[in-house]
């Protein structure tokens, strides 16, 4: 169950002051994005190559539509990771508007929140311009993760703006602690969507295991 959080931009400083949230930089704290990742099939790789090509093509014709990230990139990933099938369920939370200054022009976007199986939170940064890095969604993601009630189990998150992806692990104890994966970028050599999908599959297995 997710507690109610006021839909507004929140800062990491507010979370640190209110909850005592701490960043852990020990590499052993968050091994789930690196260890025991399942292999993916050649068919899945071909589908991800198509996703990458589709996203690259859309970037040639700005401005992007508001829901392009979810439609073109995130939805195929969630489908391939089986997050649309039982026992998973996807719940959408309220969007949060964000703004940024780009050479004197105020650029508006929104952050959409998806809750998967009460154990995995996905933050999607939507904008008609590529003005927002995944850093914009980090505090909002952690706020939703802190609101999930399973205090004795690790909670995982993903932030994406379509081109970049970063995973987050939160452990809620007396002092809540979190750690980050490395940043995956869709246009790095090769196709890093392969690894993003492998991590999603791994976290999905952990979620079903801890809820069984």
């Amino acid at each position: 169950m997710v507690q109610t959080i006021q839909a507004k931009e929140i800062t990491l400083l507010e979370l640190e002051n209110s909850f005592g949230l701490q960043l852990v930089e020990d590499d052993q704290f968050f091994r789930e994005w690196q260890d025991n990742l399942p292999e993916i099939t050649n068919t899945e790789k071909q589908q991800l190559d198509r996703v990458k090509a589709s996203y690259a093509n859309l970037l040639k014709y700005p401005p992007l539509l508001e829901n392009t990230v979810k439609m073109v990139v995130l939805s195929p990933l969630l489908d391939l990771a089986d997050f649309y099938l039982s026992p998973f369920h996807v719940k959408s939370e309220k969007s949060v508007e964000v703004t940024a200054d780009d050479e004197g022009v105020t650029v508006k976007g929104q952050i959409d929140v998806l809750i998967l199986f009460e154990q995995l939170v996905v933050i999607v940064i939507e904008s008609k311009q590529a003005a927002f890095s995944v850093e914009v969604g980090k505090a909002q993601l952690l706020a939703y993760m802190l609101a999930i009630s399973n205090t004795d189990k690790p909670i995982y998150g993903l932030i994406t703006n379509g081109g970049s992806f970063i995973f987050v692990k939160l452990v809620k104890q007396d002092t809540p602690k979190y750690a980050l994966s490395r940043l995956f970028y869709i246009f790095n050599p090769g196709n890093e969507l392969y690894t993003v999908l492998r991590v999603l599959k791994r976290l999905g297995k952990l979620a079903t295991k801890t809820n069984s």
Side-chain angles (χ1 to χ4, degrees), residues 70 74-76 78-86 88 90 116:
K70 291 197 295 292
L74 183 61
S75 186
L78 297 182
D79 183 35
L80 290 171
D82 292 334
F83 284 132
Y84 293 137
L85 299 176
S86 178
F88 294 101
V90 179
L116 306 174

Side-chain angles (χ1 to χ4, degrees), residues 12-13 15-26 29 142 146 168-180:
L12 281 174
L13 181 61
L15 297 178
E16 290 170 358
N17 290 338
S18 299
F19 299 96
L21 182 66
Q22 296 181 1
L23 171 65
V24 176
E25 299 188 74
D26 182 355
F29 181 82
L142 286 164
L146 283 165
V168 181
K169 177 182 179 179
L170 174 72
V171 175
K172 292 176 62 177
Q173 298 173 334
D174 294 335
T175 301
K177 298 179 174 62
Y178 75 98
L180 308 172

Side-chain angles (χ1 to χ4, degrees), residues 84-103:
Y84 293 137
L85 299 176
S86 178
F88 294 101
H89 52 274
V90 179
K91 180 169 62 175
S92 180
E93 294 291 314
K94 285 185 177 180
S95 297
V96 178
E97 186 175 275
V98 290
T99 60
D101 290 325
D102 185 7
E103 298 181 353

Side-chain angles (χ1 to χ4, degrees), residues 5-10 66-67 70 91-99 108-115 122-127 140-141 144:
I5 292 181
Q6 185 177 0
K8 70 179 185 67
E9 290 188 61
I10 192 167
E66 284 290 355
N67 290 317
K70 291 197 295 292
K91 180 169 62 175
S92 180
E93 294 291 314
K94 285 185 177 180
S95 297
V96 178
E97 186 175 275
V98 290
T99 60
K108 291 187 177 182
Q110 66 183 30
I111 292 176
D112 290 341
V113 183
L114 305 176
I115 311 295
V122 178
I123 290 284
V124 189
I125 304 168
E126 301 275 6
S127 176
Q140 197 70 31
L141 172 65
Y144 275 92

Side-chain angles (χ1 to χ4, degrees), residues 115-136:
I115 311 295
L116 306 174
F117 206 58
E118 313 296 350
Q119 199 83 27
L120 179 62
V121 183
V122 178
I123 290 284
V124 189
I125 304 168
E126 301 275 6
S127 176
K128 291 183 179 179
Q129 300 183 38
F132 299 104
S133 76
V134 291
E135 288 294 322
V136 174

